[in-house]
Amino acid sequence: MVDDSSGPKTHDELYKEIVANYSEFRTKVGEYFQSTGKCASAILAYEEAMEFHEPSDEDAKKKVLMRDTELREMKYYLPKQNNLLLTLFLGDFNVVLPRKEDKIKYKRQYEKFKLWYICGQLLFSSLNIIFGPSRIIEGILQFYLVWFYCNLTMKESILGANGSRIRTWWIVQHYLDVILYGFLLIRPDGTFSTQFSCYIFYMSGCQILQFYYQAGSLYKLRALGRAGSMEVSAEGLRVKTFADLQFLTPFFILLYIFQAYNGYTLWSLSTSAALNEETWEVVLCSLLFLAISIGNLATLINVVIKKYQLSRNGQYARRMNPAPATSTEGQPSNVASDSEDQSNQSKPHTE
């Protein structure tokens, strides 16, 4: 018979264990920040040295490009200076998440946030169409849109700092959306209410359709090792085949025409004698709608041309169906490694 004399720990022993663990934790935190500082300084020194270095041959160029890719991956885990938006709202607070699991978790929360609040704007626009036009419901909808796009731009900035690739135009558009809906919110006249609610209703439907198409596309791209784990769905088109592009494009073309029509309607209101208020707010909203429409159409045309070219010469099919990678034991590897996922984040974004 074994004599178990250890028994449960006393309060004093538990407290001493807590103090020891906390002391170790503080030491590790200090070592972590010291290590990140050393890494950042070493990367900066290397980049400054490479400014005056010219590769001598093709092999040297490939070596330099490979190192640049690896350094770019390392930077996703090192503290960096925030962009203007994050600096205005958060100051110099570090938003880079140290673990890949935390990055992926935050990205998933972003996707859920976007989907649920798109459904919210669909609900408010529906209420204004059914029971309106109501200036109260319209005001709630516009305030909701300002709040939503402010949060969206903040989250996208944090995702960008953690390695997600988001097209520059979509970030710019969200900034424009915040300004646009803010001015629409303070505009006293309600003559644009029904048309605006119909626009938001149709836009929400397109965004939900696009979200599910992109979610399916990203799932397959990640399984094939063609997209990093931090890739997110965006406002544009990321599709699996040219046939999907043909299906989605008419919906988005109609949406962008709707945006241009909103701009035209507001411009007409600014010159109408029925509008007794100051017209500069209406003119500004009109120009913002037109700018968003032109930018979206230009981006869509660029995507369609690239997809069409890839579809014609067969490169797109080879990219989506690559030969399976083989492991060292000769068995096919179905899951891309972390380094492959991260390296894909630095490739040009043509999706």
Side-chain angles (χ1 to χ4, degrees), residues 1-14:
M1 182 175 180
V2 179
D3 183 19
D4 185 8
S5 59
S6 60
K9 295 181 179 180
T10 65
H11 294 168
D12 290 338
E13 291 174 335
L14 290 172

Side-chain angles (χ1 to χ4, degrees), residues 26 33 50-51 53-54 95 103 157 161 220 223 259 268 284 290 300 304 318 339 347:
R26 291 295 300 270
F33 283 108
M50 290 301 294
E51 289 180 1
H53 175 75
E54 187 67 27
V95 297
K103 295 175 185 286
S157 297
K220 290 192 174 183
Q259 291 170 343
S268 300
L284 178 60
L290 290 173
L300 177 61
V304 170
R318 288 195 294 273
S339 61
K347 295 179 181 177

